[in-house]
Amino acid sequence: MNSGPGPKVVMRPEAVEAVLSLARGDFACGREEARTPVAGAGRNRRAAEALVSLLLTHSTTERAMTVVGLPPEEMRAALLRLAGGEPVGHPKLSLDRVRDGVGRLEGYVRHVTTDLGWIDHAANLALRYVPWRGELHGEIWIEFTALGAELYDGGAWLLGPVVHVTLDLFHLDNEEDLVKVCAHEYNHAAVYLYRYDPSRRVGWLENCPPPVAQILDLLYLEGLARFTTQDRRYRPDIGHCFEVVQQALDAAKAGSALPRSDLWTGDAGQGHLGGTAGAFIFETILTGADQTEWGAALRGGPEGVLARYDFLASAKGLPRLRL
């Protein structure tokens, strides 16, 4: 998509196109099938099964199943019901509503894959505080789907040299939400590409016990992304957020880590506890640092960020974390 410096960004709409094809039920309609309805129905069924099998192995579908805890056989059955025009009725998927709105979704997909101003806006928003934005290499794949999976509007993860950014266009049905969530995940992608660039040696959390490292990693990732993309508008109970993160760290050090959902899912619609604490940490650092100090803290990873924050928090009487 882009030819300038920085990561190569590739748009991949094949998953959302497959879902919409299943929703329309016209994935294998041809003249021969129309002349022979019985044989055509059988071929149509086989075509639907083949398309569903391909969709189940696509990274967008695999990720959605993992996040919402949906076994592949349940997803397969739901997609086949969608293709057959039957009510899907699955509590974790919005496929019936996808079918009802298929025409609007098709137009929306055409818009987001041809009018690319929104992705430039998202990338600029995502990278505005990233000190290594001019040093990024590798690829970011922007992958679209429309499963309407419960509480899953997007995600980012590293597979080999490529960061996959998934965006569910059923949930992100307007450009404002699309830009915000894409920027959040693109910010994660920028961290992944820096941290795992084979040409550099970034030794974050190397001597940290894995349960503690997982919490600190997420505090950094979610905190930086939320601070970057939400214009400092996040839940107000900062003290409570720090208390819960501290409890999780203490439990992790004792070998009985809290479930990840206690920290990294929304609480009564207010957003992440851990992400909010992390965003406050980054806001505090940026407020009290020049560009050099900010860059040094971020390049130091979670440990560098927390060390800088602890220095500032001790002087200002702000909530602190004991590591």
Side-chain angles (χ1 to χ4, degrees):
M1 178 182 133
N2 57 326
S3 57
K8 179 181 179 182
V9 179
V10 180
M11 291 283 187
R12 298 195 61 187
E14 65 272 13
V16 70
E17 290 171 351
V19 173
L20 296 182
S21 181
L22 293 173
R24 290 193 308 269
D26 63 357
F27 33 81
C29 294
R31 293 179 182 176
E32 184 179 352
E33 284 86 345
R35 288 196 299 270
T36 55
V38 174
R43 290 178 182 177
N44 225 31
R45 177 72 179 184
R46 289 195 297 274
E49 290 173 346
L51 186 56
V52 167
S53 294
L54 287 172
L55 193 53
L56 284 171
T57 62
H58 196 277
S59 57
T60 58
T61 312
E62 290 181 335
R63 187 67 172 178
M65 289 190 295
T66 299
V67 170
V68 303
L70 195 64
E73 58 271 18
E74 280 191 40
M75 180 66 85
R76 176 183 292 276
L79 291 171
L80 286 173
R81 287 196 295 272
L82 176 70
E86 307 167 53
V88 178
H90 197 287
K92 292 186 176 182
L93 299 169
S94 299
L95 292 175
D96 292 308
R97 293 172 62 192
V98 170
R99 180 196 289 126
D100 293 342
V102 67
R104 187 199 62 78
L105 276 167
E106 286 176 322
Y108 187 48
V109 171
R110 284 194 298 272
H111 168 67
V112 301
T113 53
T114 56
D115 184 358
L116 301 180
W118 70 270
I119 186 64
D120 292 333
H121 184 191
N124 288 332
L125 179 61
L127 299 176
R128 59 179 173 167
Y129 296 131
V130 174
W132 53 81
R133 63 181 298 166
E135 307 168 24
L136 293 174
H137 307 285
E139 293 189 14
I140 299 174
W141 290 4
I142 308 293
E143 300 179 314
F144 302 104
T145 190
L147 296 170
E150 179 185 47
L151 299 177
Y152 183 66
D153 54 13
W157 65 101
L158 185 68
L159 290 176
V162 176
V163 181
H164 296 249
V165 170
T166 293
L167 302 169
D168 191 310
L169 295 181
F170 172 80
H171 290 306
L172 306 173
D173 61 356
N174 64 83
E175 196 163 302
E176 181 180 355
D177 288 344
L178 180 64
V179 166
K180 182 182 293 186
V181 173
C182 182
H184 184 106
E185 305 304 341
Y186 202 112
N187 184 269
H188 289 344
V191 175
Y192 294 147
L193 290 176
Y194 173 79
R195 182 177 183 178
Y196 298 107
D197 184 343
S199 69
R200 72 177 92 235
R201 180 77 171 87
V202 179
W204 292 357
L205 300 170
E206 286 186 331
N207 300 314
C208 189
V212 176
Q214 183 187 41
I215 294 172
L216 298 184
D217 237 348
L218 287 166
L219 195 67
Y220 184 103
L221 282 167
E222 289 295 332
L224 181 60
R226 291 177 71 79
F227 167 66
T228 298
T229 62
Q230 296 201 9
D231 293 323
R232 308 186 185 190
R233 293 192 300 267
Y234 25 80
R235 53 186 299 157
D237 52 343
I238 301 297
H240 172 64
C241 294
F242 272 80
E243 289 173 6
V244 174
V245 173
Q246 186 64 62
Q247 291 168 9
L249 286 169
D250 292 343
K253 287 184 284 187
S256 58
L258 294 175
R260 175 174 163 174
S261 59
D262 287 343
L263 286 174
W264 311 113
T265 59
D267 178 16
Q270 297 186 78
H272 298 175
L273 293 162
T276 297
F280 184 79
I281 286 170
F282 281 102
E283 178 182 333
T284 302
I285 294 173
L286 185 62
T287 302
D290 59 26
Q291 287 286 83
T292 300
E293 292 168 331
W294 170 257
L298 265 67
R299 290 177 188 274
E303 291 163 312
V305 164
L306 287 173
R308 178 64 188 171
Y309 172 76
D310 192 67
F311 172 78
L312 295 170
S314 62
K316 297 181 178 183
L318 300 175
R320 299 169 70 182
L321 293 173
R322 300 181 309 277
L323 301 183

